[in-house]
Structure formats: structure tokens, C-alpha cells
Amino acid sequence: MTDAPLIQIVWEDWADQSLPLPAYETAGAAGADLRVNLRPEDRADGLVLAPMARAILPTGLRIEIPAGYEVQIRPRSGLAAKFGLTIPNAPGTIDSDYRGELKVILINLGQEPFVIQRGDRVAQLVLAPVVQAAWDEVAELDA
């Protein structure tokens, strides 16, 4: 894939850099798995996500998306099916001019608390082209 768009990536200073970067798990995967990179004070015990609770999970990563693209943050189907974990704003959009830390909003729609551990794969990143529309105000629309 020599013509693949290049996403530049930087670790946050506090991040555990022994964790893998986002990666496609199979040759045909559309999304690259994204892992939670807990802050040092949360790594030992993990984070408990109670039923119906939301959390903004750190990844320890900042990315530079090429102009003309976006990154979509999508749920992982296995977590949704087995535990009721999903992304409430799915797909979340990361614009090409955003330079802050990548974070994942996760909600537990299941009936049991779920413990999120350092390195858990909690979302997928999908790179997609962007087309911006031009707007034309008119008096009426075609039927």
C-alpha cells in the first residue's frame, strides 16, 4: 500500500509507549483498533464503567490527518454484543485540523459494571475522504 494516506502520530508525555499504535488486525480490515492508554494513576486498577455510565477514555495519542480526510471513531462489535459497550456519538469525527489528544467516549449499556484495563481495544479508527458542500439559498426546492 504505497499510496496509502499517511497519518502522523505523536505520544502524549504521560503515555505508556509500550502499547501498540492503532493497527489493522487483518488484511481486509476497514478499521484500525484503538487502545486505551490509561493515565499512570489509573493503570493498576483500571477504570470501572458502571451500567448506563459514560467515560472519556484517553489514548495517549495525537494524530495529524491529511487534508481532505477525517478519522471516524467507531464501536467494536464484539464489545457491543458481549457487554453492551458502545460509542454514544458513533461515528465520532476527528477533523484533519484537530491536534488534541484522541479520546474515546464509551457508554456501558449493559447490566454489569465493566472494567477497562490499560491496552484494551475499545474502538476502531476509519480513515474516510471528506467532501465539503457549497450552500445555495433558494426560494423553493424541486419536487
Side-chain angles (χ1 to χ4, degrees), residues 26-38:
T26 66
D33 285 345
L34 183 60
R35 297 174 185 270
V36 171
N37 198 330
L38 296 176

Side-chain angles (χ1 to χ4, degrees), residues 112-137:
E112 301 294 327
F114 186 86
V115 180
I116 299 160
Q117 301 287 350
R118 168 197 161 279
D120 282 354
R121 295 179 299 156
V122 294
Q124 298 181 74
L125 300 180
V126 174
L127 182 68
V130 171
V131 176
Q132 289 187 335
W135 303 97
D136 184 21
E137 184 177 355

Side-chain angles (χ1 to χ4, degrees), residues 44-64:
D45 297 328
L47 296 174
V48 177
L49 192 57
M52 298 309 295
R54 294 180 308 274
I56 299 175
L57 304 175
T59 67
L61 301 171
R62 289 183 290 126
I63 61 175
E64 184 175 330

Side-chain angles (χ1 to χ4, degrees), residues 12-77:
E12 294 285 3
D13 292 340
W14 55 265
D16 177 356
Q17 295 183 25
S18 69
L19 292 177
L21 294 175
Y24 298 99
E25 294 296 317
T26 66
D33 285 345
L34 183 60
R35 297 174 185 270
V36 171
N37 198 330
L38 296 176
R39 292 191 168 270
E41 61 271 18
D42 296 323
R43 290 179 190 155
D45 297 328
L47 296 174
V48 177
L49 192 57
M52 298 309 295
R54 294 180 308 274
I56 299 175
L57 304 175
T59 67
L61 301 171
R62 289 183 290 126
I63 61 175
E64 184 175 330
I65 303 164
Y69 290 89
E70 66 160 330
V71 164
Q72 298 175 3
I73 308 292
R74 297 185 184 182
R76 294 191 66 237
S77 57

